[in-house]
């Protein structure tokens, strides 16, 4: 008998977080991810956790900050405008070296935009968003199962590196239903309270202080160098990519998340027409799998970056390939999702018939 | 032992203790401490009633109080 | 029979015994000392987490021997909520100034009070933004000159000061709300007794508590420390009356 259950994306991802050991969730309603906090509000009390509906996304992320200081597995989720409001908190959490997980169900922007699927928060997720030099690990699952699996890695890596891990999805992944299996269940009783946590001294011979403030410039530079060393280690070891039908490929689509799912259908159609097209799908968009993509220099005649945004992912592809492979781009914005044929047409327009 | 002990290195010369001392035994000294403040000093330990007002109002936790007791 | 010296007053043990960065005569030091004394007297040093603000008390965590975190501007009550929820048996307090609590952090303080969960807030009302150089605060009095109300605060240009204690006391969540003053030994004694009730409201699990402390800012008020205390009595107290505005059953 299979252990698979049919679940809605936003709920499955919430359960995935709980299976990964998340026991504290703070959030504020925003479409298209409301099923996540709703699920958490029902489910967390059943497993001895706490759900708190905050008064704003600003409050949510600062509650997350507080819980993170206590060394527990904690998360929040939101959608684009709400994630914008959290940027200050994410910067403080990063500057304080404490772990948490943040999920963004990206929607059309800028501003209030709409609630349709988009990938226009890419820069915000991978380049910063808040003030100061900091990085987050950013996972970009393209299926519900992958998202559930990545939540385990998200919490493990957040704890390992003491940093913010983001999971970026969109309304499509949140609203679709797929069979999903929860393969890993973290026993929270095995998770130790870290020695740096502010949980009261309880006999400890010193007070723990968690702050992102260092008034002395030389001291703050040293702190930044420590953060940079950590980010360099993460870049070296944590980038991930899926290489799909790349063995014989002449061309590759580069896409992530929802867009990569659709691109797989494009590739099937293209191959039926004799075009040797493959897919390079970043699973982490930070660290960006540049090295893996660079291995195709000299092997590919061209790449087509496809995204639900305007040349954001494309910029990282440009940086990775530096013109060593001809670069094409196709994207739609505002929540419009191109179909497989539309992507193939864009490919043929930019690369001919792929011969 | 002094009844009023003022840690001169902590004192910032704000004068609040002097303003509330009911027996008027505190003054600003003419010495400078390491931070460049002229600390408060007690002119007559014997007159101190140990009322605690100076320690209560001192924002720098610079004052400690003791008193003789018969045992 | 011999004579021995008995300790009438000595530094609290939870005080880290450092010289503070506060200006001479600033009552932050008095409020800090009362916190340290109560943490000692109530045996809380091992279970206390202080949540510090952005403002003059931003370095407050340096001065105590218990665990502390430094919040983003105005967000201390949210951060304290996250800390308390994960370890409900711990003692969690925020220490916030009037810009932090009553301006940028108004949403967080109101909702923390409305939730009523047992955290304690020490609120320093000195009528201006001290750390940034004396700008107008939500608590700046009408007519008071600051660097951003150079001709004096007017209702037309700047609106009215906010009475935080009275406002929060209207909510059902809080267990204890009081306003005290740090201007004199007698009022400092009363302040400590109010803070003890506020601490107790949390320790006994009764609910949210806040003590607003009328404080001075001699540097930015451009008064001596002694004149500043007089100003609190003459100008500030008439607008911000002292007293207990909410005391639910069981708070003592």
């Amino acid at each position: 008998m299979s252990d698979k259950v049919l679940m809605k994306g936003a709920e499955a991802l919430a359960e995935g977080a709980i299976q990964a050991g998340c026991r504290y969730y703070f959030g504020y309603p925003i479409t298209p991810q409301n099923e996540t906090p709703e699920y958490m509000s029902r489910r967390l009390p059943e497993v001895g956790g706490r759900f708190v509906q905050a008064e704003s996304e600003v409050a949510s992320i600062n509650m997350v900050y507080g819980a993170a200081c206590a060394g527990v597995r904690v998360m929040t989720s939101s959608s684009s405008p709400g994630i914008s409001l959290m940027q200050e908190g994410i910067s403080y959490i990063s500057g304080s070296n404490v772990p948490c997980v943040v999920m963004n169900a990206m929607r059309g922007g800028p501003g209030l935009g709409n609630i349709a699927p988009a990938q226009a928060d890419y820069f915000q997720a991978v380049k910063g968003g808040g003030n100061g030099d900091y990085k987050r690990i950013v996972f970009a699952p393209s299926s519900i199962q992958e998202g559930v699996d990545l939540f385990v890695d998200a919490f493990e890596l957040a704890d390992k590196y003491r940093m913010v891990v983001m999971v970026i999805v969109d309304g499509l992944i949140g609203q679709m239903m797929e069979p999903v299996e929860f393969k890993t269940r973290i026993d929270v009783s095995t998770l130790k309270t870290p020695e740096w946590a502010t949980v009261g001294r309880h006999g400890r011979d010193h007070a723990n202080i968690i702050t992102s403030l260092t008034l002395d410039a030389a001291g703050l530079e040293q702190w930044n160098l420590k953060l940079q060393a950590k980010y360099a280690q993460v870049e070296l070891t944590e980038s991930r990519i899926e290489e799909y039908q790349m063995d014989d490929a002449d061309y590759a689509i580069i896409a992530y998340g929802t867009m990569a799912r659709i691109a797989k259908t494009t590739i099937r159609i293209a191959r039926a027409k004799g075009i040797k097209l493959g897919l390079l799908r970043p699973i982490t968009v930070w660290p960006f799998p540049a090295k893996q993509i660079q291995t195709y220099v000299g092997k590919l005649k061209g790449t087509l970056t496809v995204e639900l945004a305007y040349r954001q992912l494309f910029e990282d592809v440009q940086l990775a390939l530096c013109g060593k492979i001809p670069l094409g781009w196709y994207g739609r914005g505002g929540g419009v999702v191109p179909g497989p044929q539309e992507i193939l047409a864009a490919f043929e327009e930019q690369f001919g018939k792929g011969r | 032992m002094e009844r009023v002990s003022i840690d001169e290195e902590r004192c910032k010369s704000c004068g609040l203790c002097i303003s509330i001392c009911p027996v008027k035994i505190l003054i600003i000294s003419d010495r400078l401490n390491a931070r460049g403040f002229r600390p408060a000093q007690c002119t007559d330990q014997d007159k101190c009633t140990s009322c605690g007002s100076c320690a209560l109002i001192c924002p720098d936790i610079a004052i400690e109080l003791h008193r003789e007791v018969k045992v | 029979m011999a004579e021995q010296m008995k300790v009438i007053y000595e530094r609290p043990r939870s005080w880290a015994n450092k010289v503070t960065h506060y200006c001479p005569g600033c009552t932050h030091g008095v409020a800090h000392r009362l916190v340290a004394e109560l943490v000692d007297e109530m045996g809380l040093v091992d279970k206390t987490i202080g949540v510090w603000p952005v403002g003059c008390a931003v370095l407050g965590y340096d001065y105590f021997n218990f665990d502390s975190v430094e919040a983003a501007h105005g967000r201390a009550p949210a951060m304290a909520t996250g800390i308390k929820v994960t370890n409900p048996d711990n003692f969690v307090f925020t220490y916030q100034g009037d810009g932090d609590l009553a301006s940028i952090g108004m949403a967080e303080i109101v909702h923390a009070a409305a939730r009523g969960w047992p955290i304690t807030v020490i609120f320093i009302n000195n009528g201006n933004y001290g750390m940034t150089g004396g700008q107008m605060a939500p608590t700046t009095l009408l007519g008071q000159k600051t660097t951003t109300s150079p001709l004096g605060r007017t209702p037309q240009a700047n609106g009215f000061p906010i009475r935080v204690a009275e406002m929060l006391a209207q909510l059902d969540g809080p267990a204890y709300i009081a306003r005290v003053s740090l201007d004199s030994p007698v009022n400092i004694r009363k302040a400590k007794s109010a803070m003890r009730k506020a601490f107790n409201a949390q320790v006994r699990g009764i609910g949210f508590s806040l003590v607003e402390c009328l404080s001075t800012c001699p540097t930015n008020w451009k008064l001596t420390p002694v004149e500043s205390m007089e100003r609190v009595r003459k100008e500030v107290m008439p607008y911000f009356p002292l007293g207990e505005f909410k005391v639910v059953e069981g708070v003592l």
Side-chain angles (χ1 to χ4, degrees), chain A residues 154-233:
Chain A
F155 279 100
E156 292 287 328
L157 293 184
D159 281 354
K160 177 178 177 186
Y161 292 107
R162 290 172 65 178
M163 65 189 289
V164 179
V165 177
M166 272 193 105
V167 178
I168 54 173
V169 294
D170 58 52
L172 260 180
I173 291 176
Q175 298 305 312
M176 68 169 69
M177 292 188 81
E178 278 184 338
V180 57
E181 184 182 358
F182 298 97
K183 298 169 201 158
T184 308
R185 290 169 200 265
I186 301 286
D187 175 3
V188 289
S189 69
T190 64
L191 299 173
K192 290 194 179 72
T193 301
E195 35 83 29
W196 48 260
T198 48
V199 288
R201 284 176 55 184
H202 298 288
R204 193 186 331 111
D205 65 359
H206 63 278
N208 281 345
I209 291 167
I210 294 177
T211 177
S212 62
L213 177 75
T214 310
L215 284 174
D216 158 53
L220 186 54
E221 185 184 42
Q222 286 306 312
W223 181 245
N224 265 283
L225 289 173
K226 274 187 195 167
L227 293 178
Q228 291 301 315
K230 172 169 80 178
Y231 300 148
Q233 180 62 35

Side-chain angles (χ1 to χ4, degrees), chain B residues 12 56 61 64 67 69, chain C residues 4 6 8 11 22 33:
Chain B
K12 292 176 186 157
L56 263 176
I61 318 191
E64 293 191 317
R67 177 167 213 173
V69 285
Chain C
Q4 270 190 3
K6 179 187 162 198
I8 303 292
R11 269 177 216 111
Y22 299 113
R33 193 188 65 234

Side-chain angles (χ1 to χ4, degrees), chain A residues 24 50 55 58-59 62-63 65-67 70 72 88 92 198-204 207-211 213, chain C residues 46-47 49 58-59 61 65-70 72 75 78-79 81-83 85-87 90 107-108 111 115 117:
Chain A
Y24 298 92
R50 281 292 294 268
E55 57 269 28
V58 172
N62 284 285
M63 290 176 183
Y65 188 10
V72 298
E88 176 198 46
Y92 277 63
T198 48
V199 288
R201 284 176 55 184
H202 298 288
R204 193 186 331 111
N208 281 345
I209 291 167
I210 294 177
T211 177
L213 177 75
Chain C
D46 264 352
K47 53 195 287 192
I49 294 106
V58 71
L59 292 169
Y61 51 75
N65 289 325
F66 45 69
D67 284 3
S68 280
V69 298
E70 168 54 40
R75 317 300 173 217
M79 205 173 173
T81 299
I83 292 171
V85 160
T86 50
N87 287 290
N90 276 342
E108 284 76 11
H111 285 274
R115 275 188 293 272
W117 295 351

Side-chain angles (χ1 to χ4, degrees), chain C residues 234-245:
Chain C
K234 283 185 187 151
E235 296 179 28
V236 184
M237 280 188 204
Y239 195 89
F240 292 109
L242 307 186
E244 294 181 322
F245 299 95

Side-chain angles (χ1 to χ4, degrees), chain C residues 4 13 20 32 47 52 69 82 91 96 104 112 115 174-175 189-190 204 207 214 245-246 250:
Chain C
Q4 270 190 3
R13 288 181 308 284
T20 68
H32 280 25
K47 53 195 287 192
W52 298 93
V69 298
F91 178 77
Q96 303 175 259
I104 194 168
R115 275 188 293 272
R189 280 202 181 87
K190 287 181 185 165
R204 296 160 68 94
L214 298 185
F245 299 95
K246 182 96 187 262

